[in-house]
Amino acid sequence: MKSNEFNLDDFLPYQLSVLSARMNRLLSKVYGEQYGLSIPEWRVLVHVARREKMSVRDIHKCVNLEKPAVSRAVTKLEATGLLIKSTSEDDHRLVDIELTKDGIEVLNNITPKALVYEKELLSSFSTEENTQLYALLERLHDELDKYPDAMPRKPRADGRPRGLVK
Amino acid sequence: MKSNEFNLDDFLPYQLSVLSARMNRLLSKVYGEQYGLSIPEWRVLVHVARREKMSVRDIHKCVNLEKPAVSRAVTKLEATGLLIKSTSEDDHRLVDIELTKDGIEVLNNITPKALVYEKELLSSFSTEENTQLYALLERLHDELDKYPDAMPRKPRADGRPRGLVK
DNA sequence: TATTGTTATACTCTATAACTATA
DNA sequence: TATAGTTATAGAGTATAACAATA
């Protein structure tokens, strides 16, 4: 193929990039406009909700955010009153992070809406197509794992092995 | 579902976001480390290669970059000697952008490598799976088109209708 | 010494508005 | 008036290194 025949529209990384950007933009209407949350903040909130206490490290290990990004998001969320930080009693280097009632309430409000969006986007998909989509994306991740230059994937937050579709 | 059961790992926008980021990172090794090109610059180069002359508007209309982003990328690429700008004779508001020999050479070097990466990532996919993947991504784009809040999709650079897989 | 979390810094990308010059 | 392109600016996101406190 000559390079003047190369078509960006058929190039998978471009396709995914644009698709992901569009989807994020749409989603940010849910948690951004209504609650002023950024993407990292939303990821942190969602992850902290999984357990009573969570350290910065725990979050960093799961949600594809760098440590400083987590730290900043947590600081901002504390300022907004959605979570509280306290020094862990077991290990004074660790920070215990827990949601406040406000934080839980905001999350209980946002999460269903986010799921509705996801469901709507997949509404035209049959169960099989849905399974196929997740399986194909998973396969692409597997391929990327072979390259040391691609950033490593995080383990699932629930500890389950990958590839089991919902 | 309670919000403390919500799992980011199974959430499509998150999946796509991480996948796209990983893929972009890998790709940027090809055009970034070797030639110092950013993603917008690579998109512009690739698009300009399609015809002899191209205006900023033409690029903006096709490659999901805002006008200022295109303008900046073009300015930088001219400084690097990969393209030249000149005022259009027909309409003095327009800028004619064309690749230099260097630009063509760089592109002829990068494009095959980018395609090799894409091919490798899809190497475990059968022809049908490949078709499925593109079709499913296309369907997601179609769904997003229904939301005014999702940014609009650009027309294909080659003018062909969407959904015809390579 | 190693690890947790914070701070500082820098760079990329994006989004918007304001500006100019041409039409 | 409308359009093409540039400039300015601000915000989000990301990546890295350096640092203080603790283990």
Side-chain angles (χ1 to χ4, degrees):
Chain A
M1 179 196 269
K2 293 175 193 163
S3 48
N4 63 352
E5 290 167 8
F6 177 81
N7 204 329
L8 217 40
D9 298 292
D10 297 320
F11 191 52
L12 184 60
Y14 177 76
Q15 270 272 7
L16 284 172
S17 192
V18 175
L19 183 60
S20 168
R22 295 184 80 200
M23 220 175 261
N24 279 337
R25 176 85 77 89
L26 189 61
L27 249 294
S28 75
K29 296 277 164 184
V30 180
Y31 48 75
E33 277 187 4
Q34 296 182 36
Y35 297 99
L37 298 175
S38 68
I39 292 182
E41 284 154 24
W42 145 257
R43 288 188 188 171
V44 165
L45 267 193
V46 159
H47 192 71
V48 171
R50 300 188 62 81
R51 287 201 247 129
E52 287 94 58
K53 304 203 170 183
M54 205 55 98
S55 72
V56 169
R57 178 188 52 175
D58 294 333
I59 304 169
H60 163 59
K61 276 193 182 157
C62 284
V63 297
N64 282 282
L65 290 173
E66 295 301 317
K67 229 174 20 160
V70 175
S71 176
R72 250 185 290 274
V74 166
T75 301
K76 175 128 178 271
L77 289 169
E78 189 183 35
T80 339
L82 302 189
L83 54 77
I84 23 172
K85 287 159 59 175
S86 55
T87 305
S88 165
E89 290 184 9
D90 305 349
D91 183 336
H92 287 205
R93 291 174 303 182
L94 295 175
V95 173
D96 282 340
I97 299 163
E98 30 183 353
L99 295 187
T100 59
K101 293 218 165 148
D102 275 6
I104 294 170
E105 198 186 311
V106 165
L107 213 46
N108 281 337
N109 192 298
I110 292 176
T111 308
K113 290 183 187 159
L115 287 170
V116 165
Y117 266 107
E118 187 191 33
K119 206 173 174 185
E120 281 180 16
L121 289 174
L122 292 167
S123 61
S124 80
F125 286 51
S126 68
T127 312
E128 278 147 15
E129 285 169 337
N130 195 319
T131 307
Q132 268 171 15
L133 176 64
Y134 277 87
L136 291 171
L137 297 181
E138 201 58 41
R139 294 259 298 279
L140 286 171
H141 271 300
D142 290 341
E143 290 298 321
L144 281 166
D145 289 339
K146 296 178 185 169
Y147 294 84
D149 282 343
M151 57 193 188
R153 213 172 9 156
K154 307 289 180 164
R156 285 180 60 95
D158 60 10
R160 288 196 301 161
R162 298 188 176 285
L164 306 174
V165 177
K166 301 194 231 196
Chain B
M1 181 196 267
K2 293 176 194 164
S3 48
N4 63 351
E5 289 167 8
F6 177 81
N7 204 329
L8 216 42
D9 297 294
D10 297 320
F11 190 51
L12 185 60
Y14 177 76
Q15 268 272 7
L16 283 173
S17 191
V18 174
L19 183 60
S20 169
R22 295 183 80 200
M23 219 174 262
N24 279 337
R25 176 85 77 89
L26 189 61
L27 248 295
S28 75
K29 295 277 164 185
V30 180
Y31 48 75
E33 277 187 4
Q34 296 182 36
Y35 296 99
L37 298 176
S38 68
I39 291 182
E41 285 155 23
W42 145 257
R43 288 189 190 172
V44 165
L45 267 193
V46 158
H47 192 72
V48 171
R50 299 188 61 81
R51 288 202 247 129
E52 287 92 59
K53 304 203 171 182
M54 204 56 97
S55 73
V56 168
R57 178 187 53 174
D58 294 333
I59 304 170
H60 164 59
K61 277 193 181 155
C62 285
V63 298
N64 283 280
L65 290 173
E66 295 302 316
K67 229 172 24 161
V70 175
S71 176
R72 251 185 292 274
V74 167
T75 301
K76 176 130 176 272
L77 289 168
E78 189 183 34
T80 339
L82 302 190
L83 54 79
I84 22 171
K85 287 158 58 174
S86 54
T87 305
S88 164
E89 291 185 9
D90 305 350
D91 183 336
H92 288 206
R93 292 173 302 181
L94 297 174
V95 173
D96 283 341
I97 300 163
E98 31 184 351
L99 295 186
T100 59
K101 293 219 166 149
D102 275 6
I104 294 170
E105 198 186 311
V106 165
L107 212 46
N108 281 337
N109 192 297
I110 292 177
T111 307
K113 288 183 188 159
L115 287 170
V116 165
Y117 265 107
E118 187 191 33
K119 205 173 175 183
E120 281 180 15
L121 289 175
L122 292 167
S123 61
S124 80
F125 286 51
S126 69
T127 312
E128 279 147 14
E129 285 170 336
N130 195 318
T131 307
Q132 269 172 14
L133 176 63
Y134 276 87
L136 291 172
L137 297 181
E138 201 58 40
R139 294 258 298 280
L140 286 171
H141 271 300
D142 290 341
E143 291 299 321
L144 281 165
D145 289 339
K146 297 177 184 170
Y147 295 84
D149 282 344
M151 58 194 189
R153 212 169 15 151
K154 308 289 181 166
R156 285 180 59 96
D158 59 11
R160 288 194 302 160
R162 298 186 176 287
L164 306 174
V165 177
K166 302 192 232 197

